């Protein structure tokens, strides 16, 4: 009995049902003592009756638990056993605590009890993302079949937590993509501006040789514009270099206040801002204001006269009434070095995306918006939610 209890404990299974069986098994011992002391019962050994009860209990009542203990051994990770029809046969206590939808799912198809897990298990991605309270956990999903002789009895699903490793991998992946974007941005924006400045400088020199002061002044003005553009791009890259790392420490920030602060520090001319809704997010205030600044700078370059920031529970949108882009592939809007939707827009939208990603947010362009450009920023991408809120 001690060995069984130890196995159950190492496999992280509750021992109460086993204790109940042991108690039933011990009852005949009381009958033995009573028959020895009293003549009302036949003087015989009742222990085999207890053993029989224990055996029946194992076979028909707790067969799954004993099988689960045998298969999982001392595995500490969440484990789920599925039968050959993919019904949940047993889960250990760790799985019950991590995945509440599996607590009372015995006999229920996995696709019904936890459709997100079922879809992931049968998919090609090995890493499962779980929303847990205000954080996201990552698990490596591995499965193997178990059989008796030539009969396939089902599958064992083991979930190994790799949160820190996966976060680091995604951070490195994001940084690599960001560095590639920087290189593309420098190559496209700065080289183009240098070429423009060089060309107009040559025109200015030629105009001065011809004593055409007016043309020389116009060419030099174009050179000044190109230099200013280079300065803007360098400032953009400097902002991303300072703020491009994934955040570890955040505070509660009022989105509406951050939007208005970003508007005040952006040269928007006569453009008007409207802010609707009100909510707070967990963010870095400076980076959030920089995000709005980049978005508002884009709306200015998009010739907008009015901008609306609509705030809702899971994010916010920034819509302008400027030019409607003709490009259907809206993902190109966020590529460094790609003059989409316009050359003047430069790196504004790529900056918006980077500053959103450092918060763990997503940003996209609404393809159905026809009155200009609308950015949708989702502050809660909602990874697969399998745990209690």
């Amino acid at each position: 009995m001690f060995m069984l209890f130890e196995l159950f404990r190492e496999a992280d299974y509750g021992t109460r049902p086993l204790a109940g069986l042991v108690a039933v098994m011990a009852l005949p011992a009381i009958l033995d003592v009573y028959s020895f002391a009293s003549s009302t019962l036949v003087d015989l050994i009742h222990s085999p009756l207890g053993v029989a009860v224990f055996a029946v209990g194992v076979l028909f009542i707790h067969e799954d638990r004993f099988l689960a203990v045998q298969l999982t051994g001392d595995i500490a990770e969440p484990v789920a056993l599925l039968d050959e029809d993919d019904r949940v046969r047993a889960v250990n206590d760790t799985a019950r605590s991590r995945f509440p939808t599996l607590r009372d799912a015995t006999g229920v198809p996995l696709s019904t009890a936890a459709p997100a897990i079922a879809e992931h298990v049968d998919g090609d991605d090995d890493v499962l993302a779980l929303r847990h309270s205000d954080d996201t956990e990552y698990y490596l999903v591995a499965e193997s079949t178990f059989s008796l002789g030539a009969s396939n009895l089902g599958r064992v699903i083991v979930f190994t937590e790799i949160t820190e490793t996966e976060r680091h991998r995604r951070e490195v992946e994001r940084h690599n993509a960001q560095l590639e974007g920087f290189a593309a941005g420098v190559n496209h924006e700065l080289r183009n501006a240098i070429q423009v400045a060089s060309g107009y400088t040559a025109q200015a020199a030629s105009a001065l040789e011809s004593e055409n002061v007016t043309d020389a002044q116009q060419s030099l003005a174009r050179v000044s514009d190109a230099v200013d553009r280079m300065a803007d791009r360098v400032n953009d890259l400097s902002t991303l270099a300072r703020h491009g790392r994934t955040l570890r420490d955040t505070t509660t920030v009022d989105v509406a206040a951050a939007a208005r602060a970003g508007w005040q520090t952006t040269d928007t001319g006569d453009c008007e801002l409207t802010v609707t809704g009100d909510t707070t997010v967990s963010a870095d205030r400076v980076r959030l204001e920089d995000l709005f600044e980049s978005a508002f700078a884009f709306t200015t370059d998009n010739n907008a006269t009015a901008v609306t920031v609509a705030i809702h529970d899971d994010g916010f949108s920034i819509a302008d009434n400027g030019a409607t882009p003709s490009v259907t592939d809206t993902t190109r809007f966020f590529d460094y070095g790609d003059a989409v939707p316009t050359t003047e827009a430069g790196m504004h939208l790529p900056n918006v995306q980077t500053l959103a990603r450092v918060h763990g947010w997503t940003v996209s362009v609404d393809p159905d918006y026809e009155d200009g450009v609308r950015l949708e920023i989702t502050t809660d991408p909602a990874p697969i939610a399998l745990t209690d809120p």
Side-chain angles (χ1 to χ4, degrees):
M1 291 301 102
F2 173 79
M3 293 176 63
L4 284 175
F5 275 104
E6 186 177 40
L7 284 174
F8 268 63
R9 181 184 60 80
E10 290 178 351
D12 199 18
Y13 274 83
T15 57
R16 184 176 299 176
L18 179 60
L21 280 176
V22 172
V24 172
M25 184 179 178
L27 285 178
I30 299 176
L31 295 178
D32 286 341
V33 174
Y34 184 76
S35 64
F36 177 78
S38 173
S39 60
T40 57
L41 290 178
V42 179
D43 186 10
L44 53 80
I45 299 176
H46 296 84
S47 298
L49 177 61
V51 175
V53 171
F54 183 84
V56 171
V58 169
L59 288 176
F60 297 102
I61 301 176
H62 295 291
E63 176 190 4
D64 290 336
R65 289 231 164 190
F66 278 88
L67 178 62
V69 169
Q70 290 175 346
L71 291 173
T72 60
D74 58 353
I75 298 176
E77 289 85 0
V79 178
L81 273 66
L82 308 179
D83 63 17
E84 57 183 354
D85 295 321
D86 279 349
R87 292 189 298 262
V88 178
R89 190 165 185 174
V91 294
N92 64 358
D93 288 346
T94 307
R96 290 187 183 87
S97 64
R98 297 293 181 90
F99 316 135
T101 55
L102 297 179
R103 286 174 183 167
D104 301 313
T106 302
V108 179
L110 183 64
S111 58
T112 301
I117 290 182
E119 181 179 353
H120 185 86
V121 167
D122 295 330
D124 296 329
D125 191 0
D126 290 335
V127 178
L128 173 66
L130 289 180
R131 190 70 177 182
H132 181 69
S133 298
D134 295 329
D135 203 358
T136 301
E137 296 178 347
Y138 298 95
Y139 293 87
L140 183 65
V141 181
E143 67 170 288
S144 62
T145 59
F146 63 95
S147 58
L148 181 61
S151 300
N152 182 21
L153 300 180
R155 296 188 291 171
V156 178
I157 312 296
V158 180
F159 303 86
T160 303
E161 185 176 357
I162 55 169
T163 300
E164 291 303 320
T165 301
E166 181 65 13
R167 285 176 178 171
H168 180 69
R169 186 193 69 80
R170 295 190 179 208
E171 178 72 357
V172 171
E173 187 178 74
R174 191 185 67 80
H175 275 301
N176 289 340
Q178 183 173 295
L179 289 174
E180 291 177 2
F182 283 175
V186 170
N187 181 68
H188 178 79
E189 295 289 337
L190 298 187
R191 285 180 179 272
N192 183 55
I194 290 173
Q195 290 175 357
V196 171
S198 297
Y200 280 111
T201 299
Q203 288 186 13
S206 177
L208 288 175
E209 289 178 357
S210 303
E211 297 183 353
N212 189 339
V213 178
T214 300
D215 288 348
Q217 289 177 336
Q218 292 177 347
S219 296
L220 290 175
R222 296 291 184 88
V223 172
S224 179
D225 292 340
V227 171
D228 289 341
R229 181 176 173 181
M230 282 191 289
D232 291 339
R233 298 302 172 257
V234 170
N235 288 334
D236 289 337
L237 291 173
S238 176
T239 296
L240 295 180
R242 295 195 313 270
H243 296 160
R245 292 187 175 275
T246 298
L247 298 176
R248 295 303 179 202
D249 298 320
T250 58
T251 58
T252 301
V253 181
D254 185 286
V255 177
R260 294 188 177 95
W263 184 264
Q264 292 298 323
T265 55
T266 306
D267 183 11
T268 55
D270 297 329
C271 192
E272 297 182 356
L273 173 67
T274 302
V275 180
T276 63
D278 187 22
T279 192
T280 59
V281 294
S282 179
D284 178 88
R285 180 180 298 276
V286 174
R287 288 172 173 81
L288 181 55
E289 291 178 2
D290 285 344
L291 184 153
F292 278 113
E293 287 180 15
S294 295
F296 294 148
F298 167 78
T299 63
T300 301
D301 290 332
N302 199 40
N303 298 320
T305 59
V307 178
T308 300
V309 176
I311 302 170
H312 36 84
D313 292 339
D314 60 349
F316 53 91
S317 64
I318 304 171
D320 67 39
N321 65 345
T324 302
S326 58
V327 178
T328 57
D329 183 8
T330 56
T331 59
R332 293 179 56 196
F333 289 24
F334 305 103
D335 290 341
Y336 288 98
D338 199 342
V340 176
T342 63
T343 302
E344 291 74 16
M347 299 171 64
H348 297 318
L349 291 187
N351 288 358
V352 170
Q353 183 182 63
T354 296
L355 291 169
R357 284 180 172 176
V358 299
H359 289 88
W361 305 341
T362 60
V363 57
S364 61
V365 173
D366 185 354
D368 299 324
Y369 186 71
E370 299 179 351
D371 297 328
V373 175
R374 178 162 62 194
L375 303 177
E376 296 284 354
I377 293 90
T378 303
T379 58
D380 183 9
I384 302 172
L386 300 175
T387 56
D388 288 339

